[in-house]
Amino acid sequence: MASNDPGFAPMTIAEDPTKGGLSPSSIPSEEEEVPVAPDQFDPKYETSKWEIWAYYAYYIGNNGLTLFNFAPTAFQNLLDQAAGDAGTLHFAGRDRTINSIVLLSNGISFAIQVVLFLIIGSYAVIAYQTTLTFWTAAFPGLARNLPVLREKAEELTAGRISRDEYDFTDMMQRSRLSNMAFYIQSVGEIVILALIVGVLFRVNVNASQANNNWGLSVLIAFATGVWLLLAIPWFVIEKRRPGQALPSGMNM
């Protein structure tokens, strides 16, 4: 006897509650932050070509020739002349060689910087390092306010490009400015060194010890003058861009 066919009860197809709607991932979050610096949309902070070239020129002058080359050379030259054939001088309580005096002087200089660091913090990085540190810190602001970055920032806000595309452009502009600065500084320093060779021949440093001493002094004055001349445009043209505000409850 054949059994009765139980059949199949009709099944209700569950509907997707999100069908025809917006998925959670497609709904923009109110807390999402647009990665744009606060000064990018203000035309008065836009980076100009003159400002960029003033930035490059500053680095040409800030080449370290005076502090790291000519000044130490002049110092050791004078010590050597004062020591004469003996080769030693009385320094810091006893007779020492010229090299020992130079090394101790460097050590004393660094010790002074350590004391200053404990008292006034990062400003203790004195002389050349200070000028170079604050110069280096300026280039991200220059890159961020370039016309091309402002255009990309507007496209990002309008949703026409992604955050990755914006960040890539930002990275490339920073790299371009940094690399161009190093390139132009190197070319400019070659020109300065060529002029220095001419100065040495003009002073005739090989004629006598006095001429050699005078030649080193002239080189220090010349390199310092070039530094000042090339640095002044940056201080005049640089735009003072406000930084981002610190979060509530935080300090430097």
Side-chain angles (χ1 to χ4, degrees), residues 24-243:
S25 60
S26 65
I27 301 176
S29 171
E30 294 181 358
E31 298 179 353
E32 184 177 354
E33 294 183 359
V34 179
V36 178
D39 54 359
Q40 276 184 316
F41 292 105
D42 194 334
K44 70 180 181 180
Y45 293 129
E46 185 168 294
T47 304
S48 66
K49 291 183 178 180
W50 285 110
E51 189 178 15
I52 293 175
W53 278 103
Y55 183 76
Y56 293 156
Y58 179 93
Y59 194 35
I60 296 174
N62 191 20
N63 50 51
L65 288 175
T66 301
L67 291 173
F68 293 150
N69 292 275
F70 301 140
T73 300
F75 176 59
Q76 192 160 356
N77 177 60
L78 294 176
L79 288 176
D80 186 69
Q81 293 177 27
D85 295 335
T88 59
L89 287 173
H90 194 76
F91 181 79
R94 67 183 182 87
D95 291 342
R96 303 177 187 273
T97 63
I98 302 304
N99 289 337
S100 177
I101 293 174
V102 172
L103 291 174
L104 282 172
S105 298
N106 288 335
I108 293 171
S109 174
F110 282 113
I112 293 173
Q113 290 187 48
V114 169
V115 173
L116 290 174
F117 181 80
L118 295 174
I119 297 173
I120 60 176
S122 60
Y123 290 99
V125 189
I126 58 176
Y128 175 77
Q129 294 300 331
T130 298
T131 62
L132 188 58
T133 298
F134 287 98
W135 173 86
T136 305
F139 90 88
L142 290 177
R144 187 181 300 120
N145 289 278
L146 286 168
V148 62
L149 254 297
R150 293 186 68 248
E151 292 173 3
K152 290 295 182 181
E154 293 171 359
E155 291 178 12
L156 176 62
T157 303
R160 294 194 294 271
I161 64 172
S162 67
R163 169 65 185 267
D164 289 341
E165 290 175 299
Y166 174 84
D167 289 342
F168 178 76
T169 305
D170 186 20
M171 177 191 68
M172 292 301 293
Q173 291 303 318
R174 293 188 190 201
S175 298
R176 184 183 67 83
L177 275 177
S178 179
N179 292 334
M180 283 297 296
F182 283 112
Y183 167 73
I184 293 174
Q185 190 272 344
S186 299
V187 174
E189 188 169 351
I190 291 175
V191 174
I192 294 174
L193 290 172
L195 294 174
I196 284 173
V197 172
V199 171
L200 291 175
F201 277 104
R202 183 67 180 85
V203 177
N204 196 13
V205 293
N206 294 322
S208 65
Q209 188 177 81
N211 280 27
N212 184 60
N213 294 343
W214 174 243
L216 286 172
S217 298
V218 170
L219 291 185
I220 293 173
F222 172 76
T224 302
V226 170
W227 188 357
L228 290 174
L229 181 64
L230 295 177
I232 288 175
W234 169 247
F235 290 104
V236 175
I237 300 175
E238 180 194 11
K239 297 177 181 178
R240 308 296 181 182
R241 299 177 175 88

Side-chain angles (χ1 to χ4, degrees), residues 14-27:
E15 295 185 358
D16 184 355
T18 64
K19 187 175 181 180
L22 294 174
S23 64
S25 60
S26 65
I27 301 176

